[in-house]
Amino acid sequence: MEATSVVQLDQTKAKDECLNLSLRPLQVSDVDDFMVWASDEKVTRFCTWEPYTNKEDGLNYIKNTVVPHPWFRAICVDDRPVGAISVSANSGNDKCRGELGYVLASKYWGKGIVTRAVKMVVDTIFVEWPHLERLEALVDVENVGSQRVLEKAGFQREGVLRKYFILKGRSRDMVMFSLLSTDYQS
Amino acid sequence: MEVDLSKITLRPFKLEDADDFLLFAGDDQVTNYLRWQTLSSKQEALDHIKDVCIPHPWRRSICNDNCSIGFISIFPFSGEEDRFKANIGFGVAVKYWGHGIATKAVKMAVPQFFVDFPDVVRLEAFIDAQNLGSQRVVEKTGFQKEGMLRKYAYMKGKLRDMFIYSFLSTDLPANP
C-alpha cells in the first residue's frame, strides 16, 4: 500500500514539473480565463484590488491596463491563461529599477508554476531592458507562499519595511526582495 | 568653533536667507547626496527659496541664532494610496558639521511633522550607503534601519546602494 502511494506521489510531482508552461501577452479574448482568477477572493487576498464581479470590468482592465502595460504576460498552462506576471517600469533616476508582480489561479497553487514563471521572466527581462539593474518585489509579511517563490527564484531578501503599504484600509509590513542583473549573470 | 545647541531652531525659509542659503546649497559637499543641483548664484538661491522652499509642504531652515545654516525637508507622498507616507531629507553647511546640529534638528522636526500631518503613518529616509554622517543622524534620532536596497536609484549619475530607515507615528514616545 505504502509503495503504491509513494509511486503516485512521484508521478504527480513529475506531472507538475512537466506542465507545459508558457508566457504570452494577455488579450481581450482571454477575458473568461482572466475572470477565473480575478474573481477569486483567495487570489486577491494580498492584491490591492477587490475580486472582479463582472466581465465588463475585466474587459476594461485588459484594454486599459494590460494592453498598454510596459511588460505584462499571461502565465499559460497548455496555452490557456491561468495567471499573470508583470514588471513595472520607472523613469529618470529610478529607471534602473522595475517591480515584479504576479497572480495565479488558486487551483494551480502548490505546483511550482509561479517560481518557474519568475525564472522565465528573469531570463528575459534583463536582456529586453538593458537599462534594468534591479528587479524588486514587495511581499506582505503574511504571504509566505509568495516569499518562498522569490527565494527559490534566487531573489535576495533585503528587509522588512514597516507599514509600507495600505492594503484594503490596513497598513501592512512588506518584505523587500531584489534580484540584480549582476546576480543573474553570476 | 563653539556651537550652543540651544540656539539651533527651525523656521520657514525667507527670501532674506538667500546669501546664507547659497553658502550651503552652493557647496558640492552638502549637495553630494541630494538630488538638488548645486546652486551657483544668489539669483538661483532666491529662485530656489521662492519656487521650492516657500511653497514646500514642510521645509524648514535650520538656524543658528536665527541665521540659516541648513535645511530639513519632509515630503508627504501624493495620491490616495501613498499619502500616509513621507520622505525626509536634510543638509547642514560644512563648517557646522560635527556638533550634533542635524541630529537636534531632526529630533525637533519629526514630532512636529506628525502633528502637522496627522495622516502620515510612516516617515522614511533613503540614505546612501556611503553617507555615514547622515546614517548616524537618523540612528541617533530613533529611525529604524530596515535594510539595504541594492542599486536602488541613480544619484548624480551614479547607481547607488541605499539604506532605508523608517520612523512610524507609533514610534513617537507617548505623551506624558
Side-chain angles (χ1 to χ4, degrees):
Chain A
M1 273 314 201
E2 276 172 299
T4 315
S5 58
V6 163
V7 165
Q8 283 176 343
L9 209 66
D10 278 349
Q11 282 178 341
T12 314
K13 187 170 176 234
K15 220 168 57 146
D16 286 347
E17 282 166 355
C18 290
L19 279 175
N20 177 22
L21 212 65
S22 59
L23 302 183
R24 64 156 172 81
L26 185 78
Q27 283 137 2
V28 165
S29 49
D30 295 318
V31 66
D32 290 322
D33 290 331
F34 170 80
M35 290 302 289
V36 168
W37 74 79
S39 61
D40 182 348
E41 62 178 19
K42 289 208 296 290
V43 171
T44 67
R45 180 177 167 208
F46 293 111
C47 297
T48 51
W49 36 280
E50 295 297 332
Y52 279 68
T53 52
N54 72 71
K55 197 156 135 175
E56 181 76 22
D57 289 344
L59 282 167
N60 286 334
Y61 174 75
I62 297 175
K63 269 189 296 200
N64 302 330
T65 302
V66 173
V67 168
H69 195 285
W71 209 96
F72 192 109
R73 301 288 183 271
I75 301 173
C76 296
V77 169
D78 296 329
D79 212 44
R80 287 285 298 277
V82 298
I85 189 162
S86 61
V87 181
S88 71
N90 289 303
S91 58
N93 283 318
D94 300 321
K95 70 176 170 65
C96 51
R97 201 163 82 234
E99 187 181 335
L100 179 71
Y102 42 77
V103 69
L104 187 72
S106 55
K107 164 175 157 186
Y108 288 92
W109 289 3
K111 301 174 193 297
I113 289 177
V114 178
T115 305
R116 282 173 64 192
V118 169
K119 285 180 173 170
M120 288 162 81
V121 170
V122 166
D123 282 343
T124 156
I125 197 75
F126 293 115
V127 173
E128 283 187 39
W129 290 1
H131 57 274
L132 188 72
E133 303 276 352
R134 171 188 172 89
L135 187 59
E136 64 182 24
L138 286 149
V139 184
D140 195 291
V141 290
E142 286 182 15
N143 191 350
V144 176
S146 192
Q147 291 169 40
R148 272 203 293 265
V149 164
L150 294 167
E151 282 157 12
K152 283 192 275 181
F155 280 66
Q156 210 175 99
R157 196 184 166 108
E158 290 175 334
V160 174
L161 310 185
R162 304 179 299 154
K163 297 194 183 177
Y164 191 72
F165 196 65
I166 298 236
L167 182 71
K168 289 158 178 156
R170 287 174 61 218
S171 56
R172 308 293 306 169
D173 296 348
M174 306 288 279
V175 186
M176 172 71 91
F177 286 87
S178 73
L179 185 79
L180 303 186
S181 61
T182 45
D183 292 341
Y184 173 61
Q185 281 154 31
S186 57
Chain B
M1 183 181 66
E2 280 295 310
V3 170
D4 178 0
L5 283 177
S6 70
K7 295 210 155 89
I8 300 297
T9 55
L10 302 181
R11 61 157 171 78
F13 275 99
K14 304 179 292 198
L15 289 175
E16 292 76 10
D17 293 323
D19 288 315
D20 296 324
F21 191 76
L22 189 59
L23 286 178
F24 59 85
D27 184 346
D28 283 337
Q29 277 191 278
V30 174
T31 65
N32 184 28
Y33 294 115
L34 301 174
R35 288 207 159 156
W36 307 9
Q37 286 309 311
T38 311
L39 303 188
S40 55
S41 70
K42 181 163 174 179
Q43 187 57 52
E44 283 184 21
L46 281 165
D47 290 342
H48 195 103
I49 295 175
K50 187 165 61 89
D51 299 333
V52 180
C53 298
I54 290 174
H56 195 285
W58 209 99
R59 178 172 286 188
R60 298 288 180 269
S61 166
I62 301 173
C63 292
N64 181 32
D65 224 352
N66 208 32
C67 173
S68 181
I69 59 162
F71 77 96
I72 289 204
S73 266
I74 308 186
F75 204 101
F77 290 97
S78 53
E80 260 313 297
E81 291 166 359
D82 291 333
R83 56 190 184 78
F84 70 100
K85 288 201 286 197
N87 186 286
I88 186 168
F90 49 86
V92 170
V94 172
K95 85 181 220 209
Y96 287 97
W97 288 6
H99 295 276
I101 291 172
T103 302
K104 175 155 191 217
V106 172
K107 273 192 176 140
M108 292 192 289
V110 169
Q112 187 58 51
F113 173 80
F114 281 119
V115 167
D116 295 340
F117 283 86
D119 282 348
V120 173
V121 157
R122 173 185 168 88
L123 179 53
E124 51 188 27
F126 288 83
I127 308 219
D128 195 292
Q130 298 188 332
N131 188 353
L132 299 176
S134 291
Q135 289 166 35
R136 274 196 296 266
V137 169
V138 295
E139 284 162 10
K140 283 193 273 184
T141 51
F143 279 71
Q144 217 174 95
K145 182 190 274 196
E146 293 171 328
M148 190 174 80
L149 308 180
R150 306 173 301 152
K151 295 194 178 171
Y152 192 69
Y154 285 101
M155 183 73 85
K156 305 248 157 93
K158 284 171 67 191
L159 197 54
R160 313 298 308 183
D161 295 337
M162 295 187 173
F163 285 109
I164 183 166
Y165 291 85
S166 69
F167 195 111
L168 304 185
S169 55
T170 43
D171 291 341
L172 286 169
N175 284 326

